[in-house]
Amino acid sequence: MTTQTDLASALSEPRFLDAGEAALVVQFGETVDPSVNDRVLALDAVLRADPPAGTREFVPTYRSLMIHYDPLQIDRNALVTIVRLMTATIAEWRGDGSTWTLPCCYDPALAEDIDEAAQILRIARDEVAALHAKATYRVYMCGFTPGQTYLGGVPDALKISRRPAPRPPHPAGSVLIGGGLCTIAPFMMPTGWYVIGQTPERLYAAGRKDAFLIQAGDLLRFEPIDLATFRDLEARAASGEVVARKRAA
């Protein structure tokens, strides 16, 4: 729910912060909020469509956009002036984000932390799965590893703190919750989040035409599947098939 404070933050003048000598961070707010992220994605889209001379890369996050630039080609103050003019004309994000439906198996054989999470949340295992699959998630950003999505929209009943310490590596495709957010692991890696499911879809595949399947600004839903269906879809995804369903905005 967006508060008056959040709304004021989203509409306020952005902050310009330096990240070393060759990167500028344009910060729009302090919270994980759709209105803040909308402005980040809108500025990102405008800059990518017509990159100012001397800019090299644009990296959107929850609340800010990092602009990598060559200080020998464009002065910081000149870049700030360009960005100020652009942000003054941006009302809201009207991008071409898609809505994805990802198959997800909540069987304990793949959801190794679902029982522990259910105990901490004081709800039944089946309710964890049902609540998670019922929600619609917003992809706020991608990062940490190629194709890893950070999702907002976790139901209040599933908001759980991260673990005090990371646990051993979990499989690629693991669906995790922690810190009030949800994420999908594109590779095997350690985690301080709770694994409550697994998708057979590959969010990143270097040999695929669209190496990165899901983008910031997209919406995402999870479709519950059983273990047998997971194994079938896993084999199809391994052969290169996209098993998630996409609906354009």
Side-chain angles (χ1 to χ4, degrees):
M1 180 176 179
T2 303
T3 64
Q4 290 296 323
T5 300
D6 293 334
L7 183 59
S9 176
L11 297 177
S12 65
E13 177 75 11
R15 297 178 64 199
F16 295 93
L17 309 172
D18 293 314
E21 298 179 348
L24 178 71
V25 175
V26 186
Q27 182 179 311
F28 288 99
E30 299 287 347
T31 59
V32 179
D33 184 273
S35 59
V36 173
N37 192 240
D38 278 347
R39 299 191 74 196
V40 173
L41 297 179
L43 178 60
D44 181 52
V46 170
L47 287 170
R48 288 176 188 270
D50 186 18
T55 56
R56 292 178 168 177
E57 185 179 8
F58 310 105
V59 184
T61 70
Y62 293 105
R63 61 178 185 166
S64 63
L65 180 70
M66 177 178 281
I67 305 172
H68 294 270
Y69 66 96
D70 184 346
L72 298 179
Q73 295 186 44
I74 185 169
D75 176 76
R76 179 200 187 271
N77 291 334
L79 180 57
V80 168
T81 298
I82 291 171
V83 173
R84 284 188 191 278
L85 291 173
M86 287 182 170
T87 55
T89 64
I90 296 171
E92 60 181 301
W93 169 242
R94 287 194 175 91
D96 55 354
S98 300
T99 299
W100 291 90
T101 300
L102 264 66
C104 182
C105 182
Y106 297 96
D107 190 292
L110 301 176
E112 52 196 287
D113 298 330
I114 194 168
D115 285 327
E116 182 181 357
Q119 184 177 10
I120 294 171
L121 294 167
R122 298 187 178 183
I123 57 178
R125 175 207 299 166
D126 290 347
E127 190 173 356
V128 172
L131 286 170
H132 187 262
K134 185 178 180 180
T136 298
Y137 301 87
R138 177 191 177 98
V139 183
Y140 277 91
M141 60 173 283
C142 300
F144 187 69
T145 60
Q148 183 166 351
T149 59
Y150 288 84
L151 312 174
V154 175
D156 288 342
L158 295 184
K159 289 183 177 177
I160 187 172
S161 298
R162 299 184 188 185
R163 293 176 175 278
R167 56 177 295 281
H170 53 278
S174 292
V175 177
L176 309 99
I177 56 174
L181 299 168
C182 178
T183 189
I184 306 169
F187 304 101
M188 179 179 286
M189 66 184 75
T191 184
W193 301 37
Y194 292 85
V195 180
I196 63 164
Q198 189 173 340
T199 178
E201 186 56 89
R202 300 179 303 163
L203 272 65
Y204 172 77
R208 189 170 55 201
K209 179 181 178 182
D210 295 321
F212 297 95
L213 193 65
I214 297 172
Q215 305 293 330
D218 287 349
L219 298 178
L220 192 152
R221 295 183 63 90
F222 293 96
E223 181 177 53
I225 56 173
D226 59 26
L227 191 57
T229 303
F230 176 89
R231 298 301 183 198
D232 174 63
L233 294 178
E234 182 181 40
R236 289 163 55 185
S239 69
E241 181 181 346
V242 174
V243 297
R245 300 194 306 276
K246 176 182 178 181
R247 179 171 58 85

